[in-house]
Amino acid sequence: MRISYNWLKQYININLNSKELEEKLTFSGIEVESIDKIGEELKQVIIGKIVEKTSHPQADKLSICRVDDGNEIKQVICGAPNCAKNQKIAFAPVGSKLGEFKIKKVKLRGEESYGMICSEQELGISDNHDGIMILPDDAPTGKDLASYLNLTDTSFELEITPNRPDLLGMVGVARDLSALLKLPLNLPEMSLKSGKKKIEEALALENEAPELCSRYVARMIEGVTICESPQWLKKRLLAVGLRPINNVVDITNFVMMEFGHPLHAFDYQDLEGKKIIVRRATKKEKIPALDEETYTLEQSDLVIADASKPIAIAGIIGGVNSHITSQTTNIVLEAANFNYANIRRTSRRLKISTDSSYRFERNLSDETAEIVSKRAAQLILEIAGGTLLQGTLDSYPDPQKANIVALRPSRVKKLLTIKEDDTTLINYLEGLELRLHKQEKDKLFFEIPFFRKDLTREIDLIEEIIRLHGYNNVETFHKSQNIMNKLSFYARRKLQDILVSYGFCEVINWSFADPKDLDSLNIPESDERRNVAKIINPLGNDFAIMRSTLLPGIFKNTLLNISHGQKELKLFELNKVFFRKDEKLATEKYNLTVLLTGNLNPTFWKEKPKEIDFYDVKGIVEELLTSLDLEDVDYIASKENYFQPGSGADIIFRKNCIGNFGKLDPKIAQTFSLEQIIFIFELSIDDIFSLQEKRYPTYKSIAKFPPVLRDLSFVISKEFLLKDIKNIIFKTNPKIIKNVVLFDEFISDKIKEGYRSLTFSLVFSSETKTLTDEFINNLLKTIIANLEKSCKIEMR
């Protein structure tokens, strides 16, 4: 449903911008789906004056108009019959956009046109397209049309829940805001003057289906003048998305949007037998409706009829055989309430959805029918004239008594944890027009207003109190719990995706384990992994503890696959391991364990098979660490007993071991019945994130100047680590040296024992200049000197 900001201010004196009002509505339980600025398109349309009009030489029905737009005079071709010299008109210049239509310079029958003189229909102001829109003579030339007609407004599209039909009108929304903002509500005053003639003399009412029509109110006005609505009424309807039609129909739509209760007006001259009959439709009865469709009805449908025919499908749509036309002089004004379930069934079966059916489907109140009937009659008399017949025809067979609901303040405080006295609670609810009926010890009895049929229980009143108090104003007693580390969660998912893309298969094993597995891995008694969480009532010895390592499980997966002929395996498991530091609950950590055996890649006719080696595993580890944005990682010889001596490495980050990798000792493999060469690596995901600082990507521009590449080859003792050698090279000039890559290692009997030959590729680049050969040669000499001093290298 749409509401208008300017219209809302008619009932409540608010001073909020659109964003603030959206926030207030949302926190009061009224969801704002969208906000639209009305009149923005009409700011492109300007007031122009036709200073000259001549006939088009090539077309009898076209005129050549010269239009003054306040800055210059432009030629416009116009086909409207009512354009004339000296008229003030709505002019859309070239480049302006009306809906999906963009105004362009065109040539019509040989004459150029620089814009368009618009009708009200083209501007979206009304359905009038008989000719162009003619403005008063005092309209200022050159001013935009939206400002002149005061059409600028802000509309809010609201999502109203089915239990709140009172919010389907401007007054209902204003009432809620009035209670929330503690501002007075200004409702329109209603008074009617009627003539001497009584309505019973001209019209009769018969309600043959009171179970489907709980109330029907009819008023009659004679001598009305059907014409165009005044400008203020048009603006109100346009602001909420309704197109003006004529004054009487517009008034019924206006009152519907004001109070949320639909009305309908009939042409009295079309009523045969001069009576209104509320009845069920006869089987296969037909009615031509206002949407130019003819509907076939069933006996379950409710219709409004005269003595011989149906004139409306009750609560859904009127008939074309009784609608208001320009010749109408006497009208019958209907305001009723119908059974919401019946309206919904009929609407869905006939596939008709209207503003009227949308509201009646939500169980409106009977009492509102009299209010909207009186309000519409008042406006019709003011705008369309005429004489109101004395009295009303009112079928109200079962008036409902006011509902009384008890509220316990102690219950409010217990549920909402707010400390408010009885007076504050009473003020909250009286702001919503609930009336305090009586007061007892820890009990407040409230009379529920007729328009709030959703308030039937104590909990409903408590919900209204917290809406007005404000959910965000409730004191918080507990700190929010960190349910999940999102950074770690998405990093784990990223690692899984990378490994799967490399051809790995994920395995998932039980969290229970056999204590003997730790002995099989030759894990020392002092190791943290020996502090296991024991199961009090295990299913057996194989499930006696919570696992502290993922290795035994993945070894058993490997054995199962090998025994089934699958000898080329890449497996991983990313799951929790458990440690007990004290008698409390075990500590849980995420570990990643990866196993590789057999050939690196599937058999391919063009390539020779290559068995997995230590450096293949190291490459995968480096790729995963790079994906986690880890830098400055060191590798040292591992002390793990399950690695083959000299074939295992620990991964060090900020002086902490975050994992390891290497070749499984064949003796350990034999304890798990594995006879193939096995490579494994492990990463402690939780340890990585506890040490890592959160970093965000930064932009680095591409170098404007070309890089220079040089190779450097020398003999060096094996005692020096690769990372130390690279650090010495980088530190020589970190701004110029961009990359250092080892691409060759050579060991032979021609090189003395304990030494090896290394060849590096160096990349030099400057962000400010092109590097010369002289500069590079001098820098290489400095690098060599630093290496000779630190590592005692010998150049080859």
Side-chain angles (χ1 to χ4, degrees):
M1 188 198 81
R2 282 177 177 252
I3 65 168
S4 155
Y5 181 78
N6 290 342
W7 193 351
L8 194 64
K9 290 182 71 173
Q10 183 177 328
Y11 311 107
I12 179 173
N13 187 22
I14 52 175
N15 188 22
L16 303 171
N17 60 39
S18 58
K19 195 67 181 175
E20 291 169 337
L21 181 56
E22 177 189 12
E23 185 177 325
K24 293 294 183 184
L25 288 168
T26 301
F27 276 102
S28 71
I30 306 172
E31 182 183 352
V32 178
E33 289 192 329
S34 63
I35 302 175
D36 294 319
K37 298 292 183 182
I38 298 173
E40 292 298 313
E41 280 190 353
L42 294 184
K43 287 183 178 180
Q44 307 170 80
V45 179
I46 56 180
I47 298 172
K49 182 179 180 180
I50 301 176
V51 295
E52 183 181 335
K53 176 195 171 186
T54 57
S55 298
H56 194 294
Q58 303 297 327
D60 295 337
K61 294 184 179 181
L62 296 180
S63 302
I64 300 175
C65 300
R66 296 181 62 78
V67 177
D68 181 5
D69 66 0
N71 291 320
E72 57 181 317
I73 295 176
K74 297 177 180 177
Q75 179 173 294
V76 181
I77 309 301
C78 181
N82 63 331
C83 69
K85 183 179 178 180
N86 295 326
Q87 283 178 342
K88 294 291 182 71
I89 46 87
F91 173 63
V94 173
S96 55
K97 192 174 181 181
L98 300 177
E100 298 299 319
F101 181 66
K102 189 173 182 179
I103 307 300
K104 299 178 181 179
K105 173 188 171 184
V106 294
K107 183 175 284 190
L108 298 174
R109 297 288 186 91
E111 297 290 338
E112 291 183 336
S113 180
Y114 295 87
M116 183 171 77
I117 302 174
C118 305
S119 67
E120 290 190 9
Q121 185 188 51
E122 290 162 337
L123 296 171
I125 294 176
S126 75
D127 282 332
N128 185 358
H129 61 280
D130 294 336
I132 61 173
M133 182 181 185
I134 301 173
L135 301 171
D137 293 339
D138 59 354
T141 302
K143 188 171 184 176
D144 70 89
L145 190 65
S147 300
Y148 174 70
L149 297 178
N150 194 23
L151 292 175
T152 54
D153 196 356
T154 303
S155 75
F156 298 80
E157 185 72 33
L158 307 182
E159 178 62 34
I160 306 299
T161 55
N163 66 320
R164 292 296 307 273
D166 60 297
L167 295 177
L168 293 174
M170 300 293 303
V171 168
V173 176
R175 185 186 290 113
D176 248 43
L177 284 173
S178 170
L180 183 69
L181 303 175
K182 297 179 175 59
L183 294 173
L185 181 66
N186 305 313
L187 294 179
E189 295 182 2
M190 287 180 269
S191 61
L192 293 175
K193 290 184 179 180
S194 58
K196 296 179 180 180
K197 185 178 179 180
K198 294 182 179 181
I199 191 171
E200 291 83 1
E201 298 174 15
L203 187 68
L205 172 64
E206 297 177 13
N207 186 356
E208 297 178 359
E211 72 280 7
L212 299 181
C213 177
S214 54
R215 189 171 192 183
Y216 193 100
V217 179
R219 281 186 163 89
M220 184 171 167
I221 304 174
E222 294 180 334
V224 298
T225 302
I226 305 300
C227 61
E228 195 175 316
S229 296
Q231 197 63 39
W232 70 266
L233 181 53
K234 288 183 183 179
K235 285 193 296 183
R236 291 285 185 256
L237 295 178
L238 289 169
V240 294
L242 297 180
R243 187 68 65 86
I245 299 172
N246 60 55
N247 51 3
V248 170
V249 175
D250 292 349
I251 287 168
T252 59
N253 286 333
F254 173 87
V255 176
M256 175 185 69
M257 297 306 299
E258 185 175 42
F259 286 94
H261 197 113
L263 306 95
H264 191 71
F266 300 104
D267 189 333
Y268 178 73
Q269 303 301 324
D270 294 331
L271 301 184
E272 296 185 26
K274 306 309 176 189
K275 62 169 60 176
I276 295 286
I277 304 172
V278 184
R279 61 171 174 83
R280 291 178 182 270
T282 59
K283 192 172 183 179
K284 304 301 180 181
E285 189 171 23
K286 297 182 182 295
I287 177 173
L290 288 171
D291 60 359
E292 299 180 356
E293 296 284 343
T294 298
Y295 295 98
T296 302
L297 306 177
E298 299 293 338
Q299 289 179 324
S300 59
D301 301 328
L302 186 70
V303 297
I304 311 300
D306 59 17
S308 64
K309 63 182 182 298
I311 55 176
I313 304 175
I316 299 177
I317 193 169
V320 75
N321 52 14
S322 61
H323 74 296
I324 305 300
T325 67
S326 57
Q327 285 76 41
T328 300
T329 55
N330 302 328
I331 65 169
V332 175
L333 186 63
E334 167 196 282
N337 195 24
F338 306 105
N339 180 277
Y340 64 93
N342 182 263
I343 296 294
R344 188 180 297 120
R345 281 194 298 268
T346 301
S347 176
R348 290 184 179 179
R349 185 178 60 79
L350 297 176
K351 298 179 181 180
I352 312 173
S353 180
T354 61
D355 287 322
S356 178
S357 65
Y358 175 77
R359 286 164 171 78
F360 280 121
E361 287 174 6
R362 282 156 173 75
N363 195 13
L364 301 178
S365 67
D366 296 334
E367 289 81 353
T368 316
E370 167 61 19
I371 296 172
V372 296
S373 175
K374 190 174 181 179
R375 173 66 166 158
Q378 177 191 31
L379 291 174
I380 291 172
L381 293 173
E382 291 176 2
I383 296 172
T387 303
L388 176 68
L389 272 60
Q390 254 186 58
T392 60
L393 300 179
D394 191 351
S395 173
Y396 194 11
D398 187 21
Q400 299 297 308
K401 294 182 180 179
N403 188 22
I404 306 295
V405 177
L407 176 72
R408 293 167 291 170
S410 60
R411 183 69 174 162
V412 175
K413 294 170 186 176
K414 183 177 180 180
L415 286 180
L416 304 182
T417 67
I418 61 175
K419 299 175 183 178
E420 300 288 5
D421 56 23
D422 291 2
T423 303
T424 304
L425 301 182
I426 292 169
N427 289 338
Y428 278 147
L429 295 177
E430 286 185 339
L432 294 171
E433 297 188 23
L434 278 71
R435 187 177 68 83
L436 182 64
H437 182 68
K438 65 177 180 178
Q439 185 172 358
E440 296 177 358
K441 184 179 180 181
D442 196 32
K443 271 196 175 181
L444 303 173
F445 294 86
F446 287 93
E447 182 180 316
I448 308 302
F450 60 85
F451 50 81
R452 290 303 303 270
K453 298 175 82 170
D454 58 309
L455 303 180
T456 59
R457 304 168 298 165
E458 180 184 43
I459 195 65
D460 297 328
L461 303 190
I462 294 174
E463 184 181 350
E464 294 302 296
I465 289 170
I466 192 58
R467 279 202 314 117
L468 298 179
H469 180 81
Y471 294 98
N472 54 331
N473 293 326
V474 177
E475 186 178 354
T476 302
F477 297 100
H478 303 285
K479 293 183 178 179
S480 59
Q481 300 298 311
N482 185 13
I483 305 299
M484 181 181 73
N485 185 335
K486 288 187 177 180
L487 192 65
S488 176
F489 172 80
Y490 287 115
R492 295 197 302 270
R493 180 180 289 179
K494 186 177 183 180
L495 291 175
Q496 291 169 315
D497 291 342
I498 292 172
L499 287 169
V500 169
S501 71
Y502 285 171
F504 285 81
C505 295
E506 183 175 11
V507 297
I508 300 176
N509 292 296
W510 293 104
S511 296
F512 309 115
D514 188 341
K516 294 179 182 178
D517 290 337
L518 299 177
D519 298 329
S520 299
L521 287 170
N522 201 12
I523 292 176
E525 292 294 330
S526 59
D527 194 283
E528 178 190 35
R529 287 166 288 188
R530 288 285 186 175
N531 298 327
V532 296
K534 297 180 180 179
I535 306 298
I536 296 175
N537 54 344
L539 297 174
N541 290 332
D542 292 348
F543 304 95
I545 62 171
M546 302 294 289
R547 64 186 177 190
S548 58
T549 174
L550 301 177
L551 286 172
I554 206 167
F555 287 159
K556 293 171 186 178
N557 300 138
T558 304
L559 178 62
L560 178 66
N561 279 272
I562 290 174
S563 65
H564 283 76
Q566 300 293 328
K567 296 186 178 182
E568 320 292 337
L569 293 174
K570 294 180 181 178
L571 305 178
F572 77 93
E573 182 170 9
L574 201 167
N575 226 318
K576 288 181 179 180
V577 293
F578 306 86
F579 308 95
R580 185 180 290 282
K581 294 184 177 180
D582 48 39
E583 294 303 318
K584 296 181 180 179
L585 291 174
T587 301
E588 302 178 7
K589 288 185 178 181
Y590 273 101
N591 269 20
L592 170 65
T593 297
V594 178
L595 181 145
L596 302 93
T597 184
N599 293 329
L600 180 63
N601 295 313
T603 303
F604 182 53
W605 66 272
K606 204 173 183 179
E607 296 177 357
K608 292 183 179 180
K610 178 185 180 301
E611 289 190 356
I612 295 167
D613 60 25
F614 179 88
Y615 294 103
D616 293 326
V617 179
K618 182 173 181 285
I620 295 171
V621 170
E622 289 175 339
E623 284 292 326
L624 295 179
L625 295 177
T626 300
S627 74
L628 294 175
D629 201 22
L630 288 187
E631 296 180 355
D632 300 327
V633 174
D634 295 328
Y635 304 95
I636 62 173
S638 179
K639 296 179 181 179
E640 287 287 0
N641 293 331
Y642 49 74
F643 286 131
Q644 182 174 316
S647 297
D650 288 341
I651 307 167
I652 306 300
F653 179 63
R654 295 187 177 174
K655 300 180 180 180
N656 290 273
C657 181
I658 59 171
N660 54 56
F661 64 93
K663 181 181 179 182
L664 185 66
D665 192 321
K667 296 177 182 178
I668 302 295
Q670 281 291 336
T671 63
F672 290 94
S673 303
L674 296 172
E675 297 181 356
Q676 291 188 192
I677 295 174
I678 304 292
F679 287 91
I680 57 173
F681 70 81
E682 293 185 284
L683 291 176
S684 177
I685 305 301
D686 287 354
D687 287 346
I688 289 173
F689 279 94
S690 65
L691 295 169
Q692 188 183 32
E693 294 178 358
K694 188 175 182 181
R695 298 194 306 174
Y696 296 95
T698 56
Y699 169 76
K700 187 176 181 181
S701 61
I702 298 174
K704 297 180 181 179
F705 302 95
V708 179
L709 279 69
R710 290 285 191 276
D711 292 343
L712 186 62
S713 184
F714 50 82
V715 176
I716 188 170
S717 172
K718 291 182 179 179
E719 65 180 292
F720 294 103
L721 299 177
L722 175 63
K723 70 179 185 67
D724 295 328
I725 299 170
K726 292 174 71 173
N727 283 339
I728 293 169
I729 296 174
F730 271 119
K731 287 180 179 178
T732 304
N733 193 332
K735 291 185 177 180
I736 298 297
I737 302 171
K738 300 300 182 183
N739 200 12
V740 178
V741 177
L742 174 69
F743 69 88
D744 184 62
E745 179 189 36
F746 178 69
I747 300 174
S748 76
D749 53 2
K750 295 181 180 180
I751 298 175
K752 57 184 177 180
E753 189 176 351
Y755 283 75
R756 56 183 173 172
S757 173
L758 301 179
T759 303
F760 290 87
S761 175
L762 281 61
V763 179
F764 305 94
S765 179
S766 172
E767 297 177 1
T768 59
K769 62 182 179 180
T770 300
L771 300 178
T772 63
D773 288 342
E774 182 182 358
F775 179 86
I776 296 297
N777 293 334
N778 289 333
L779 184 55
L780 280 172
K781 289 178 182 178
T782 306
I783 292 171
I784 294 169
N786 290 339
L787 290 171
E788 288 174 340
K789 180 180 178 181
S790 302
C791 305
K792 304 292 190 281
I793 67 165
E794 296 178 8
M795 298 299 297
R796 292 189 64 189

